[in-house]
Amino acid sequence: MADPFLPPTDPRRGAERGLARVSARRQPPERTKASTLDSRIHNRALVLATLYHRGAMSRSEIARTLGLTAPTVSALVADLESDGLVVDTGPRKDNRLGKPANVMRIDDDAAHILALDLSGSEHFGGAVLNLRGDVVRRARVRYGNAAGERAAELVFQLVGELMELAPRRVLGIGVGSPGIVGDAGVIHHAAHLGWSELPLAAQLSERFGVPAHVGNDVNIAALAVLRFRNARTQNLMVITIEHGVGAGLIVGGELVEGEQFAAGEIGHVTVDEDGDPCVCGHRGCLEPLIDAAELRRRMAGRDPSGRDGVLADAGRALGTVLAPISSVLNLNEIALLGPPDLVEGPFLDSAAAVIRARTYAPISASLTMRSLAGDPDLILLGGASIVLSGELGVW
């Protein structure tokens, strides 16, 4: 049997999101004794996270909420004020008895984040965002058939343009890239971009002098759904069919990447043992059945009823794969990404119906499937979220 992690025969085929021999493994974190500095950094992040998620608060309210002493909170707030991240908005305006306390809040425009979406089929997109994920400026660069070093240089060119557009200091760079991406921001394999063992995070940080964080595009899209798109659950999955099939998985509010950073490779699960050969070496894989380009090919020349039938069949194939995953993980939300004309309607409806039919009623009753097709900023928001998490600790 062919190795399922061999590269595809056509290296430019955009559908492939991780078919490669990947030797990288996640290393367990080293356990070290906490220092005084560690405690201060931890408490500083707690204060920021509290203000970020709860809104403006007085110093005494922060102290009570976090169980820290008033002098500790005052020192931390003073430090954050000197960094420009927190501002004093003056006395609280309410009807409480006594002298009103001054209220602190995060200055959403104190710093900016550069976020890149490298998942496009023709262009790399980027934006300057504030600390709330609001887009301030946009830029993009066409890469066409560029690969390898040339594609990487275009990424650096895009970051340089965004640096020029940023009105305030840059907190960090967050990148969503196709392929298998390790936790140090190394792109172990991105087939259609011709990247192998590319230390993109380190290169960006060295060249531009700010911290850089790189994640798999679908994984950080899942983080964006969790943090910026009103997810009402801690267990969710995001699936894209735009350029191949990929999935990002959140369990217990945490991103699940897998020991080889390849979690979410649902596209090469066998759906039909007698199906057509797949580039991975197996037969009847999910990806050729639901990938957007393949769907359009099968729909070409059909009347509306025939097109709906193709989409419904594809949705049933997806539901067949997702039903056991939903049951094992007790997923509460599945969001689908891709072209809206393909995702919304028969495709989504059929997938949801199969999951309901094949799972235990309490599990299916708690599961919501929705379309976020056509949302242009999910990966950019995901890039912002990994910078906010890595640099400010707000998540």
Side-chain angles (χ1 to χ4, degrees):
M1 178 180 293
D3 189 331
F5 291 99
L6 283 173
T9 55
D10 178 1
R12 291 290 307 170
R13 186 171 186 264
E16 302 315 319
R17 292 184 162 268
L19 300 184
R21 298 182 186 276
V22 178
S23 58
R25 295 177 70 93
R26 183 182 301 280
Q27 299 299 316
E30 294 184 7
R31 303 186 67 176
T32 58
K33 181 180 178 180
S35 66
T36 303
L37 178 60
D38 291 334
S39 297
R40 183 175 180 81
I41 292 172
H42 175 74
N43 289 337
R44 186 178 190 270
L46 283 178
V47 171
L48 276 171
T50 300
L51 292 173
Y52 193 88
H53 296 292
R54 298 196 179 196
M57 300 173 72
S58 69
R59 291 172 178 82
S60 60
E61 288 171 331
I62 296 170
R64 287 195 299 271
T65 298
L66 297 179
L68 298 174
T69 66
T72 295
V73 169
S74 292
L76 291 169
V77 168
D79 181 46
L80 292 169
E81 281 187 288
S82 68
D83 281 350
L85 292 171
V86 167
V87 293
D88 188 329
T89 63
R92 185 191 300 279
K93 296 178 175 60
D94 58 21
N95 297 321
R96 300 182 191 186
L97 296 176
K99 181 181 178 180
N102 281 24
V103 174
M104 316 303 300
R105 68 169 177 83
I106 287 180
D107 181 355
D108 296 339
D109 295 304
H112 287 116
I113 298 165
L114 309 186
L116 273 65
D117 176 359
L118 307 185
S119 69
S121 58
E122 295 292 334
H123 293 85
F124 294 144
V128 179
L129 298 93
N130 72 4
L131 299 182
R132 289 290 169 183
D134 300 321
V135 173
V136 178
R137 299 282 192 278
R138 294 184 188 270
R140 69 175 188 169
V141 61
R142 178 180 171 82
Y143 72 91
N145 292 322
E149 291 185 9
R150 175 58 182 154
E153 282 299 325
L154 290 172
V155 173
F156 301 142
Q157 176 185 320
L158 178 58
V159 174
E161 292 178 15
L162 292 170
M163 279 283 185
E164 293 294 325
L165 293 173
R168 299 281 187 94
R169 67 185 174 96
V170 173
L171 179 67
I173 303 167
V175 182
S177 171
I180 294 179
V181 184
D183 53 5
V186 175
I187 300 176
H188 295 298
H189 186 76
H192 78 284
L193 291 172
W195 290 341
S196 179
E197 303 305 324
L198 174 67
L200 186 59
Q203 291 180 359
L204 287 169
S205 183
E206 180 179 359
R207 182 171 295 205
F208 295 101
V210 296
H213 303 264
V214 180
N216 170 269
D217 52 354
V218 189
N219 283 345
I220 69 170
L223 289 173
V225 172
L226 178 71
R227 296 168 177 173
F228 289 101
R229 287 295 183 263
N230 300 317
R232 294 178 173 83
T233 177
Q234 297 292 293
N235 284 17
L236 66 91
M237 177 178 277
V238 172
I239 298 163
T240 179
I241 65 167
E242 183 82 51
H243 306 295
V245 177
L249 179 63
I250 305 285
V251 177
E254 298 292 334
L255 180 65
V256 177
E257 295 179 286
E259 193 164 349
Q260 281 76 35
F261 311 103
E265 285 291 342
I266 65 171
H268 297 283
V269 173
T270 298
V271 179
D272 179 5
E273 293 181 353
D274 298 320
D276 294 334
C278 180
V279 293
C280 75
H282 294 160
R283 283 184 172 274
C285 288
L286 177 66
E287 183 166 284
L289 297 176
I290 69 170
D291 167 56
E294 293 294 325
L295 285 176
R296 294 202 189 281
R297 182 184 62 79
R298 293 202 302 277
M299 292 165 61
R302 295 175 182 261
D303 60 22
S305 175
R307 291 194 292 272
D308 285 352
V310 169
L311 293 172
D313 288 343
R316 282 189 285 271
L318 177 61
T320 299
V321 170
L322 292 182
I325 299 173
S326 301
S327 292
V328 169
L329 298 177
N330 192 186
L331 295 179
N332 291 113
E333 181 173 330
I334 297 173
L336 302 184
L337 311 181
D341 63 312
L342 299 180
V343 168
E344 295 168 359
F347 180 78
L348 188 152
D349 294 343
S350 293
V354 169
I355 294 172
R356 285 195 300 270
R358 297 192 177 196
T359 55
Y360 186 44
I363 291 175
S364 61
S366 67
L367 175 65
T368 298
M369 288 192 74
R370 62 169 165 158
S371 167
L372 289 175
D375 188 327
D377 291 337
L378 273 183
I379 294 174
L380 297 176
L381 288 170
S385 78
I386 59 177
V387 173
L388 288 166
S389 178
E391 300 307 314
L392 299 184
V394 299
W395 282 293

